[in-house]
Amino acid sequence: LGKYRLKAKDLRQKDLPELRKLLLEQSQELISLRQKAASGSIDSPARIREIRKNIARILTIMAEKERQAASEARATSQSA
């Protein structure tokens, strides 16, 4: 089950467009798994939890990158 986990260290190395793409893929997979769970044909219910955590990790790192970009923009505008 741990093989599906996205590591924060690896996610931090990606840029925002890559993170957005990954977020979309994970969201689509979550929808698919929820449909399987509703029909009772899911093989690993814990996979849903892992996907939700992956999505949270991606969103957190995206927010970190956006905050960092905003603070860098402020720093350059103040020094100019």
Side-chain angles (χ1 to χ4, degrees):
L1 195 63
K3 64 183 175 179
Y4 300 115
R5 180 169 189 235
L6 299 174
K7 299 200 182 307
K9 183 174 92 172
D10 298 334
L11 291 174
R12 283 191 177 92
Q13 295 173 352
K14 298 182 183 296
D15 58 0
L16 279 173
E18 287 178 303
L19 289 172
R20 285 189 189 100
K21 181 181 176 205
L22 195 55
L23 179 64
L24 182 64
E25 291 170 1
Q26 293 285 303
S27 297
Q28 289 172 342
E29 188 170 354
L30 181 61
I31 290 169
S32 171
L33 286 171
R34 283 184 173 159
Q35 288 173 344
K36 286 181 183 178
S39 67
S41 65
I42 192 166
D43 53 335
S44 176
R47 177 104 170 89
I48 292 175
R49 185 180 326 123
E50 196 65 46
I51 296 292
R52 281 197 341 250
K53 287 182 177 186
N54 286 342
I55 290 171
R57 265 186 220 102
I58 293 167
L59 290 172
T60 299
I61 290 170
M62 285 174 68
E64 285 175 4
K65 287 183 178 282
E66 289 167 358
R67 274 195 307 270
Q68 182 180 14
S71 68
E72 288 173 1
R74 272 190 305 240
T76 57
S77 68
Q78 288 176 355
S79 65

